[in-house]
Amino acid sequence: MEISLGIIIGSIIGLIILSAFFSGAETSLTSASKARIHNLAKSGEKNAIAYEKLFKKKEQLIGTILLANNLVNVLASALATSVLLEFFDSDGIFYVTIIMTLMILLFGELLPKTIALFKADYIALKISPVFSILTSIFLPITSSLNVIVDFLIKSLRIKNLKNISTTESEEELRGAIDL
């Protein structure tokens, strides 16, 4: 049973939209004002509370975003490859590489990240409940990936990674107070 070309192209477009969602989410969730959202959470704003819970498990959140984004990007590229191979034989690989790189870069990365950067707080608050669910769904996979990453960090003898993060946060706080 062959799937129609229209369905495949529609699926590729849908996957690029999902890529845009995950890329924008990454930027907005990491760029949002922690202080502003903390104040909203203290006043009982549900999405702000969800955001704070997400950010307490930052590695899990980032893992979820990266896993989901890579899944949709690889699937979109695989579908596009299957279509272009049919039309252009082995030259289709060259064409799909150019086309999908541009599509994902422009519409799946740059545009959504630029928008998310300027609307970080608003978007982060809107999508936090969605990512609360997604992090739960992907928990077994992201936990396994984090174990592998921790093993690799130890194997490569990268020390005090957590302490570096804390030191940088303290420096950022001092800089913000000075500002």
Side-chain angles (χ1 to χ4, degrees):
M1 177 173 82
E2 271 190 46
I3 300 174
S4 78
L5 183 61
I7 291 173
I8 294 174
I9 291 172
S11 297
I12 293 168
I13 291 168
L15 289 165
I16 290 173
I17 290 169
L18 280 173
S19 178
F21 172 73
F22 291 122
S23 293
E26 179 183 8
T27 299
S28 65
L29 289 167
T30 57
S31 300
S33 169
K34 311 310 180 257
R36 195 171 307 133
I37 291 177
H38 180 70
N39 284 333
L40 289 170
K42 280 185 3 185
S43 68
E45 219 284 14
K46 289 180 185 177
N47 289 2
I49 294 168
Y51 174 88
E52 285 196 324
K53 285 181 184 176
L54 277 174
F55 228 76
K56 285 180 183 172
K57 300 174 187 172
K58 194 176 357 180
E59 285 178 354
Q60 184 181 338
L61 173 64
I62 296 298
T64 297
I65 294 168
L66 292 175
L67 175 63
N69 203 13
N70 277 287
L71 282 173
V72 299
N73 287 341
V74 169
L75 183 54
S77 295
L79 288 174
T81 300
S82 70
V83 169
L84 291 181
L85 280 176
E86 196 156 317
F87 286 105
F88 300 104
D89 294 319
S90 62
D91 288 343
I93 294 172
F94 172 76
Y95 297 135
V96 80
T97 300
I98 301 299
I99 292 167
M100 290 307 293
T101 298
L102 289 173
M103 295 292 287
I104 291 171
L105 186 62
L106 288 172
F107 300 110
E109 295 289 335
L110 292 173
L111 183 62
K113 285 184 183 229
T114 302
I115 292 168
L117 194 58
F118 291 105
K119 299 280 190 181
D121 293 356
Y122 176 78
I123 294 170
L125 287 171
K126 291 290 183 192
I127 64 174
S128 288
V130 172
F131 277 91
S132 294
I133 295 167
L134 288 175
T135 53
S136 297
I137 292 170
F138 287 128
L139 179 63
I141 299 169
T142 56
S143 295
S144 300
L145 291 172
N146 284 334
V147 167
I148 294 168
V149 168
D150 288 342
F151 172 77
L152 291 171
I153 287 172
K154 288 177 186 172
S155 297
L156 296 172
R157 292 183 167 74
I158 300 173
K159 297 179 183 177
N160 300 325
L161 207 54
K162 305 258 187 220
N163 292 341
I164 291 170
S165 177
T166 304
T167 304
E168 287 176 357
S169 295
E170 289 172 2
E171 288 175 12
E172 284 181 37
L173 183 58
R174 286 190 186 111
I177 290 170
D178 290 343
L179 183 65

